[in-house]
Amino acid sequence: MATTVTITNKGLRRTRTGHPWVFDNDLRANESTPTVPSIVTLLDLQNNLTGQGLYNPTSKIALRLLTKDETPITPDFFAQRTKAAVAYREDVVKGYEAFRVIHSESDGIPGLTVDKYGDYLVLQQHSAALEPFMGAILEVLQNHYQPKGILARNDSSVRELEGLPREVKVIVGSVPEEIPFKEGDMTLFAAPYTGQKTGAFLDQRENHVEAGRIAFGHCLDVFSYHGGFALQLAKHAEIVIAVDSSKPALVHIEKAAKVNGLTNVSLLQGDAFSLLRDFVKKGERFDTIVLDPPAFAKGRDQAEKAVSGYKEINLQALKLLHVGGRLVTASCSYHVSEATFYAMLQEAAADAERQVRVLEWRGQASCHPERLAMPETRYLKLAVLEVIDV
């Protein structure tokens, strides 16, 4: 007998929009419902087939839909989806040595992300029911990319919600502490064991290059992390000041600047909010400013406070720009919508008494595709603005 769970009408309405998540309060257990993470068949209240998915009775996201039909969910099922993800990247990542290979639900493999840095792969696996199929997925990745090493960077707290251990371990070959990779003309360094995400912010890779293209004059890069923006700015700038609260992050930038032969990057450690206000008080002016803060809102309940934080840093940045100066400003907080972010920028410009036009509105890199019916996969917002005198 197939293992099954029953979805409520409320949950069914959600899945019919195409969203693949079913929450625990939208499911009812049946006699055959498993008590451990498993592949299950999803039934409606009339016992009609609704789909199949990854089920975990201990998770708030209790079911992650894989298909709406009776296609057998086997290792080959996941092998084929992995091949499709790899094939998609062949079309969109030309010229980049580092990119996302598997982007979870957007590639039909919920709970799994895999990033490639040169000759190495780094993965994060957050779905307990996917565990039995990881061998098939890894086989496809190894056959295609022939990596020197694969690191499982499974130290996220999300793992605990799935009942999985938090661990970081090499599962194939060996993986160094730092991995150099090219992004445009610049060499960056990923920190796969200790860095943010899997070691670098690959969702900004195309935005890094674009920001460098439009940069000029005296530049300020705030929340610099490992220098993805700062190094690109330095190609066209007279000077770049890279600001971060983390000394190890700034050491990373210093090393990368030397490797790339850049002598116009200076480092400043400190709190971004305080430093921006200090620059304003001192009458400093810049031609290009980049703001790429971490997610200020981890949950919906933090959204209001996050918007206040975004407004403050953008307000100060706009005060610091010359007329004709450019602001590249981002938010990776999913719980702050595009409309809210746009409205915040309008308010910041009004309070700063600056006239601003939008040069471009951008999102995450093409290797991080969005799933139309799943707004959670559209999280990165980036505006390129210019201060004007009209």
Side-chain angles (χ1 to χ4, degrees):
M1 182 180 182
T3 54
T4 62
V5 292
T6 299
I7 190 170
T8 64
N9 288 332
K10 176 188 172 186
L12 188 60
R13 286 193 294 272
R14 180 181 175 85
T15 60
R16 282 177 174 168
T17 68
H19 202 291
W21 287 354
V22 183
F23 295 100
D24 54 357
N25 57 5
D26 287 325
L27 289 177
R28 295 180 181 176
N30 299 312
E31 292 181 4
S32 68
T33 298
T35 58
V36 296
S38 308
I39 299 293
V40 299
T41 297
L42 185 64
L43 304 176
D44 64 17
L45 294 175
Q46 288 73 45
N47 287 328
N48 297 311
L49 174 71
T50 298
Q52 299 178 85
L54 302 170
Y55 175 70
N56 189 340
T58 66
S59 176
K60 183 174 177 61
I61 304 174
L63 184 77
R64 300 169 189 263
L65 275 173
L66 295 169
T67 176
K68 291 190 175 183
D69 56 32
E70 296 179 285
T71 301
I73 308 301
T74 63
D76 186 62
F77 174 90
F78 287 100
Q80 294 306 314
R81 290 207 166 173
T82 304
K83 290 177 182 178
V86 167
Y88 168 75
R89 271 66 187 184
E90 295 299 301
D91 287 335
V92 302
V93 300
K94 292 180 174 64
Y96 287 90
E97 293 182 354
F99 52 87
R100 178 147 295 178
V101 178
I102 295 176
H103 192 44
S104 196
E105 276 87 356
S106 291
D107 287 301
I109 307 178
L112 178 66
T113 59
V114 180
D115 290 337
K116 181 178 183 293
Y117 298 100
D119 294 326
Y120 302 92
L121 298 177
V122 184
L123 67 85
Q124 294 182 316
Q125 205 276 93
H126 298 145
S127 175
L130 189 63
E131 288 278 304
F133 306 98
M134 285 301 299
I137 294 169
L138 289 171
E139 183 178 359
V140 173
L141 295 175
Q142 286 181 263
N143 288 340
H144 184 82
Y145 292 115
Q146 299 290 312
K148 293 180 179 178
I150 301 178
L151 178 71
R153 178 74 187 276
N154 288 329
D155 55 353
S156 169
S157 60
V158 178
R159 297 263 298 180
E160 294 179 350
L161 302 177
E162 286 279 320
L164 293 168
R166 295 173 68 173
E167 57 188 7
V168 178
K169 63 179 182 180
V170 176
I171 54 178
V172 172
S174 61
V175 178
E177 294 290 330
E178 288 187 338
I179 305 173
F181 65 92
K182 281 283 190 181
E183 200 168 75
D185 296 332
M186 293 291 115
T187 296
L188 297 176
F189 292 88
Y193 293 88
T194 59
Q196 298 290 331
K197 296 193 175 183
T198 62
F201 288 104
L202 297 180
D203 50 0
Q204 288 276 33
R205 65 184 179 88
E206 294 164 9
N207 296 329
H208 290 160
V209 175
E210 177 63 13
R213 187 186 69 79
I214 65 166
F216 69 100
H218 285 219
C219 299
L220 178 65
D221 178 26
V222 187
F223 308 99
S224 290
Y225 188 51
H226 286 180
F229 280 109
L231 299 175
Q232 297 290 346
L233 299 179
K235 288 172 56 181
H236 304 281
E238 294 176 39
I239 187 172
V240 176
I241 300 175
V243 174
D244 204 280
S245 61
S246 166
K247 184 175 181 179
L250 295 176
V251 170
H252 230 87
I253 298 175
E254 184 176 35
K255 176 181 178 179
K258 289 179 180 178
V259 168
N260 288 286
L262 300 171
T263 59
N264 59 342
V265 178
S266 63
L267 310 175
L268 184 58
Q269 183 181 0
D271 174 73
F273 290 84
S274 298
L275 289 172
L276 285 168
R277 287 191 289 265
D278 287 345
F279 279 137
V280 171
K281 289 178 181 177
K282 293 175 182 177
E284 299 279 1
R285 288 292 183 269
F286 295 91
D287 300 297
T288 309
I289 298 177
V290 174
L291 300 176
D292 184 25
F296 285 166
K298 297 292 186 180
R300 188 175 289 108
D301 60 332
Q302 299 173 338
E304 184 176 347
K305 184 178 180 181
V307 172
S308 177
Y310 286 125
K311 181 180 176 182
E312 172 65 12
I313 59 174
N314 281 279
L315 169 64
Q316 302 302 332
L318 287 167
K319 289 180 178 179
L320 288 169
L321 284 167
H322 291 295
V323 172
R326 291 167 176 175
L327 172 63
V328 178
T329 180
S331 165
C332 60
S333 298
Y334 160 69
H335 294 286
V336 176
S337 69
E338 289 183 0
T340 300
F341 190 63
Y342 198 96
M344 175 277 299
L345 290 173
Q346 288 179 313
E347 292 180 10
D351 288 357
E353 299 183 344
R354 309 306 299 271
Q355 296 297 320
V356 177
R357 62 184 168 201
V358 178
L359 298 182
E360 194 172 6
W361 188 259
R362 300 174 65 89
Q364 62 243 35
S366 53
C367 59
H368 289 61
E370 303 165 18
R371 183 164 174 165
L372 185 60
M374 191 177 184
E376 291 86 351
T377 60
R378 182 178 179 83
Y379 62 93
L380 182 61
K381 301 157 284 286
L382 184 140
V384 182
L385 309 176
E386 184 177 50
V387 175
I388 55 178
D389 186 20
V390 294

